[in-house]
């Protein structure tokens, strides 16, 4: 997608994707679209222990487990083919998984002239398409490495989670010409521990998890308690 200059935006808003703008995760569904459901299930079962451990422990363990699954299912696939599947997947995922109340908040930011970005640990191959379809001004996600027109399955850089998610949001807002400042507050919407660092750095953090006060972000304000500035 093409980033648009937004130097006059009075505020900026960063939305996580999985579990925030949409219900549930998207990575396994996307991998199934690319590699086939059976192949994806078998590869996941073979890596069940590190994947489950990563889900519990998060951090580097989760990053390694996720990359291992990507390598198993994506290495050697033509980037053009995966991009085509990703475009179709983004369209179908939007139809079935959006959370209307969170999308309505994203649209409210746009209506006020705020700079809006979507940020995710999921692959940029489809996150960028979803962000564009939602009208966001840019996106930041996990990039995957390619060589000679084929994917390696490995990350290009780091998994877009935690501190890396915050770093990428800041870099994206700089490119848009709308960095966070005292006069331009940052709203951040998330649902899981991977969003914690971003919400900690936001002027107006919002927890949209289904768990509410019982979740990892439970100390942050909820959607219904956060008003938008004009």
């Amino acid at each position: 997608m093409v980033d648009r200059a937004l130097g006059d935006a009075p505020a900026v808003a960063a939305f996580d994707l999985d579990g925030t703008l949409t219900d549930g995760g998207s990575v396994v569904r996307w991998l199934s679209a690319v590699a086939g459901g059976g192949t994806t299930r078998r590869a996941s079962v073979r890596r069940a222990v590190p994947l489950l451990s990563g889900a519990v422990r998060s951090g580097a363990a989760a990053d390694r487990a996720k990359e291992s699954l990507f390598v198993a299912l994506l290495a050697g696939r033509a980037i053009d083919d995966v991009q085509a599947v990703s475009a179709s997947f983004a369209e179908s995922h939007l139809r079935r998984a959006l959370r209307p109340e969170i999308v309505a908040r994203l649209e409210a930011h746009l209506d006020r002239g705020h700079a809006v970005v979507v940020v995710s640990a999921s692959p940029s191959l489809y996150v960028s398409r979803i962000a564009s379809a939602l009208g966001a001004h840019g996106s930041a996600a996990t990039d995957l490495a390619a060589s000679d027109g084929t994917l390696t399955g490995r990350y290009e850089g780091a998994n877009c989670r935690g501190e890396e998610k915050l770093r990428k949001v800041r870099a994206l807002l700089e490119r848009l010409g709308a960095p966070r400042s005292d006069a331009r507050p940052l709203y951040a919407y998330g649902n899981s521990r991977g969003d914690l660092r971003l919400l900690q750095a936001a002027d107006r953090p919002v927890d949209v998890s289904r768990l509410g006060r019982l979740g990892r972000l439970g100390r942050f304000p909820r959607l219904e308690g956060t008003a938008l500035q004009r």
Side-chain angles (χ1 to χ4, degrees), residues 1 94 117-118 126-139:
M1 67 191 302
L94 281 170
V117 298
V118 174
Y126 63 91
V127 172
S128 62
R129 296 177 181 275
I130 289 174
S132 181
L134 291 173
H137 301 104
S139 64

Side-chain angles (χ1 to χ4, degrees), residues 31-108:
L31 287 171
S32 296
V34 172
T39 300
T40 300
R41 283 191 295 274
R42 288 189 292 273
S44 299
V45 168
R46 286 194 293 271
R47 293 162 180 80
V49 172
L51 286 170
L52 288 172
S53 176
V56 172
R57 295 166 56 194
S58 191
D63 295 344
R64 289 193 297 270
K66 178 178 167 184
E67 187 176 44
S68 173
L69 186 62
F70 284 169
V71 170
L73 294 172
L74 301 175
R77 294 186 182 274
I79 185 66
D80 289 347
D81 293 343
V82 177
Q83 285 175 334
V85 174
S86 297
S88 177
F89 172 81
E91 182 179 345
S92 64
H93 192 59
L94 281 170
R95 286 198 305 268
R96 67 177 176 236
L98 285 180
R99 294 178 65 184
E101 71 278 19
I102 312 302
V103 174
R105 176 56 67 96
L106 182 149
E107 292 171 346

Side-chain angles (χ1 to χ4, degrees), residues 1 3 13-18 116-129 131-132 136-143 158-161 164-173 175-176 195 198:
M1 67 191 302
D3 295 340
F15 287 81
D16 170 56
L17 178 62
D18 296 329
V116 175
V117 298
V118 174
V119 57
S120 177
S122 296
S124 57
L125 283 163
Y126 63 91
V127 172
S128 62
R129 296 177 181 275
S132 181
H137 301 104
S139 64
T142 298
D143 296 317
N159 190 25
C160 186
R161 170 198 60 77
E164 178 68 4
K165 180 172 279 190
L166 174 60
R167 186 194 70 77
K168 282 199 167 187
V169 166
R170 285 172 169 165
L172 175 58
L173 293 174
R175 291 201 304 275
L176 288 170
D195 305 315
L198 176 61

